[in-house]
């Protein structure tokens, strides 16, 4: 197959500093290439990307990187111009996958000469729909990563039901796996979060819960690993200041983002507890970060979001706290329970590893390739001649 993957304008693929979606599609592109498929990726350039027409055997067509601004609406407008330029770079293909906001709308007409040669158009959605799905009537397939997002899209556009395909996000099990070395039990236990430092991730709740544990004499270190700048999708200096104010004199660790997957896996293996406290029911799709923690043997503590339901089950593969009034106390109780019960940690850890193993790169890549073949047979390949 000839597969084209079009990234959005704000983040490049690895080895440059990337977002979760860019990492996922770069990893999948490498598997597709190893399976003998032709892969072209269109995306933003970055000084840390290797030069040349290909990167690790994948043809890479570059456009200027756009720095994310303070206004989501302005970023969406800038995506329009970027998507128009990306459309001009699209090669003839059997299937074209994109998460760009405007590109599927620009290619909505089957009379469009670009649309006629790019094969099946697959819109990949990793955010809860907020009215934008009306723009995508012209796409052939809509792929997403959790049943919650499927339900949201179908609720907004019932006519899309037959176009939906659900395939979870993958985790690189060669990188994210349990380690042999364990932390010194005499050291203060460490609670770890990995991901963007942004209000929708609920980190203020975690810092408050940490403070309440400390007030009760339960000692933990708290380390929040991830980018905070707005250009990297974070909440900016104002949110960092809010977190530090909530922490008071406690030594809150905010080391910044870690772009190297191996270093990130080491961070996970050096932690005792893992918490991903996002309460953004309409912001999350199916976060990769908790899966990476699970693959390393850390059962996550998360809120009761439907997006986790496929792989995080309360008291089976992690602990789930209920959102709403009293949520900080319930989060603190879950962390305290997990920290204080070695048998529970051991049981949940093994189950978390087994659950994460179902989302390895190979089975997820196989699912996409099967979907591509099926959709090509259904819709036909690109126009010839």
């Amino acid at each position: 197959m000839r597969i084209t993957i079009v990234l959005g304008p704000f983040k490049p693929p690895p080895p440059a500093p990337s977002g979760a979606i860019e990492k996922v599609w770069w990893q999948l592109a490498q598997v597709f290439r190893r399976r003998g498929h032709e892969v072209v990726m269109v995306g933003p350039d970055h000084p840390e990307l290797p030069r040349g027409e290909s990167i690790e055997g994948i043809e890479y067509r570059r456009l200027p990187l756009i720095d994310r601004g303070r206004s989501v609406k302005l970023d969406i407008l800038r995506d329009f111009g970027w998507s128009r330029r990306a459309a001009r770079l699209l090669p003839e293909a059997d299937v074209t996958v994109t998460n760009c906001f405007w590109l599927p709308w620009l290619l909505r007409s089957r009379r469009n000469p670009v649309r006629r040669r790019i094969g099946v158009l697959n819109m990949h959605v990793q955010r809860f729909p907020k009215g934008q799905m009306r723009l995508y009537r012209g796409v052939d397939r809509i792929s997403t990563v959790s049943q919650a997002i499927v339900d949201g899209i179908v609720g907004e556009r019932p006519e899309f039901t037959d176009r939906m395909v659900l395939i979870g996000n993958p985790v690189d099990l060669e990188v994210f796996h349990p380690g042999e070395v364990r932390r010194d039990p005499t050291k203060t236990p460490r609670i770890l979060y990995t991901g963007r430092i942004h209000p929708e991730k609920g980190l203020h709740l975690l810092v408050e819960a940490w403070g309440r544990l400390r007030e009760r004499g339960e000692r933990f270190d708290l380390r929040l690993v991830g980018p905070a700048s707005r250009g990297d999708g974070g909440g900016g200096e104002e949110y960092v200041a809010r977190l530090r104010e909530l922490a008071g004199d406690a030594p809150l660790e905010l080391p910044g983002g870690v772009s190297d997957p191996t270093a990130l896996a080491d961070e996970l293996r050096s932690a005792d507890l893992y918490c991903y406290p996002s309460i953004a029911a309409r912001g999350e799709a199916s976060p990769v970060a908790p899966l990476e923690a699970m693959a390393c043997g850390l059962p996550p503590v998360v809120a009761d979001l439907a997006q986790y339901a496929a792989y995080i089950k309360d008291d089976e593969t992690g602990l789930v706290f209920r959102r709403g009034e009293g949520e900080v106390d319930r989060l603190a109780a879950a962390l305290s329970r997990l920290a204080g019960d070695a048998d529970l940690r051991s049981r949940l850890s093994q189950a978390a590893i087994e659950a994460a193993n179902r989302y390895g790169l190979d089975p997820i890549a196989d699912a996409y390739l099967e979907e591509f073949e099926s959709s090509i047979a259904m819709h036909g390949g690109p126009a010839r001649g």
Side-chain angles (χ1 to χ4, degrees), residues 310-349:
Y311 53 92
I312 303 177
K313 301 186 184 301
D314 189 32
D315 214 30
E316 294 183 22
T317 57
L319 293 182
V320 178
F321 68 91
R322 181 167 51 84
R323 289 167 292 155
E325 185 177 353
E327 60 193 3
V328 172
D329 287 330
R330 288 190 289 273
L331 171 55
L335 290 168
S336 178
R337 179 188 173 205
L338 193 58
D341 190 335
D343 290 339
L344 175 66
R345 287 198 308 278
S346 177
R347 174 172 63 82
L348 296 184
S349 175

Side-chain angles (χ1 to χ4, degrees), residues 236-246:
E237 295 179 2
E238 299 90 342
Y239 189 57
V240 171
R242 179 185 175 190
L243 295 177
R244 292 203 180 279
E245 182 179 359
L246 286 171

Side-chain angles (χ1 to χ4, degrees), residues 100-101 104-105 123 132-139 160 163:
C100 292
F101 189 91
W105 182 82
M123 176 67 182
Q132 75 272 31
M133 298 310 298
R134 67 184 184 277
L135 299 174
Y136 305 134
R137 296 188 183 98
V139 303
F160 289 175
R163 302 186 206 179

Side-chain angles (χ1 to χ4, degrees), residues 158 217 219 308 324:
R219 293 300 173 194
Y308 307 128

Side-chain angles (χ1 to χ4, degrees), residues 145-157:
V145 293
S146 73
Q147 187 62 47
I149 304 302
V150 171
D151 293 342
I153 292 173
V154 171
E156 198 173 278
R157 310 299 306 185

Side-chain angles (χ1 to χ4, degrees), residues 79-88 90 100-115 118 121 135-136 138-139:
D79 182 288
F80 184 82
W82 200 92
S83 292
R84 290 184 65 184
R85 297 180 66 181
R88 300 187 191 110
L90 297 181
C100 292
F101 189 91
W102 287 110
L103 185 60
W105 182 82
L106 290 169
L107 300 177
R108 65 194 181 280
S109 172
R110 297 183 187 279
R111 295 189 298 273
N112 184 307
V114 176
R115 174 63 186 275
I118 65 168
L121 180 57
L135 299 174
Y136 305 134
V139 303

Side-chain angles (χ1 to χ4, degrees), residues 80-351:
F80 184 82
W82 200 92
S83 292
R84 290 184 65 184
R85 297 180 66 181
R88 300 187 191 110
L89 297 182
L90 297 181
E92 188 172 278
D94 297 302
V95 61
T96 297
V97 186
T98 184
N99 67 326
C100 292
F101 189 91
W102 287 110
L103 185 60
W105 182 82
L106 290 169
L107 300 177
R108 65 194 181 280
S109 172
R110 297 183 187 279
R111 295 189 298 273
N112 184 307
V114 176
R115 174 63 186 275
R116 291 178 61 217
R117 60 181 169 80
I118 65 168
V120 173
L121 180 57
N122 185 312
M123 176 67 182
H124 184 70
V125 180
Q126 288 253 21
R127 300 287 287 182
F128 202 92
K130 298 178 181 178
Q132 75 272 31
M133 298 310 298
R134 67 184 184 277
L135 299 174
Y136 305 134
R137 296 188 183 98
V139 303
D140 298 310
R141 301 290 280 169
I142 300 172
S143 58
T144 191
V145 293
S146 73
Q147 187 62 47
I149 304 302
V150 171
D151 293 342
I153 292 173
V154 171
E156 198 173 278
R157 310 299 306 185
E159 67 271 24
F160 289 175
T161 299
D162 292 339
R163 302 186 206 179
M164 299 299 306
V165 58
L166 170 57
I167 301 174
N169 273 324
V171 59
D172 188 346
L173 299 175
E174 292 186 5
V175 175
F176 296 95
H177 54 78
E180 298 296 330
V181 179
R182 295 296 179 188
R183 276 172 52 81
D184 184 345
T186 65
K187 291 185 177 180
T188 304
R190 174 184 294 169
I191 302 169
L192 179 67
Y193 161 86
T194 56
R196 292 182 296 121
I197 309 300
H198 191 280
E200 71 178 14
K201 299 300 182 181
L203 298 176
H204 47 286
L205 304 179
L206 177 54
V207 174
E208 287 187 58
W210 177 52
R212 295 184 190 184
L213 291 171
R214 292 175 62 85
E215 289 172 2
R216 300 204 300 253
E218 298 183 53
R219 293 300 173 194
F220 299 95
D221 293 333
L222 178 58
R223 187 171 174 86
L224 312 180
V225 175
S229 70
R230 293 185 184 275
D232 290 323
E237 295 179 2
E238 299 90 342
Y239 189 57
V240 171
R242 179 185 175 190
L243 295 177
R244 292 203 180 279
E245 182 179 359
L246 286 171
D249 296 332
L252 175 64
E253 299 178 36
L254 285 159
V258 176
S259 58
D260 177 24
T262 301
L264 183 60
D266 288 341
E267 286 275 4
L268 290 164
R269 285 189 284 265
S270 69
D272 300 281
L273 304 176
Y274 183 83
C275 182
Y276 195 87
S278 175
I279 55 172
R282 297 178 67 86
E284 297 289 1
S286 179
V288 178
L291 268 176
E292 293 172 340
M294 293 167 70
C296 291
L298 283 172
V301 177
V302 299
D304 57 345
L305 298 182
Q307 286 88 332
Y308 307 128
Y311 53 92
I312 303 177
K313 301 186 184 301
D314 189 32
D315 214 30
E316 294 183 22
T317 57
L319 293 182
V320 178
F321 68 91
R322 181 167 51 84
R323 289 167 292 155
E325 185 177 353
E327 60 193 3
V328 172
D329 287 330
R330 288 190 289 273
L331 171 55
L335 290 168
S336 178
R337 179 188 173 205
L338 193 58
D341 190 335
D343 290 339
L344 175 66
R345 287 198 308 278
S346 177
R347 174 172 63 82
L348 296 184
S349 175
Q350 186 57 45

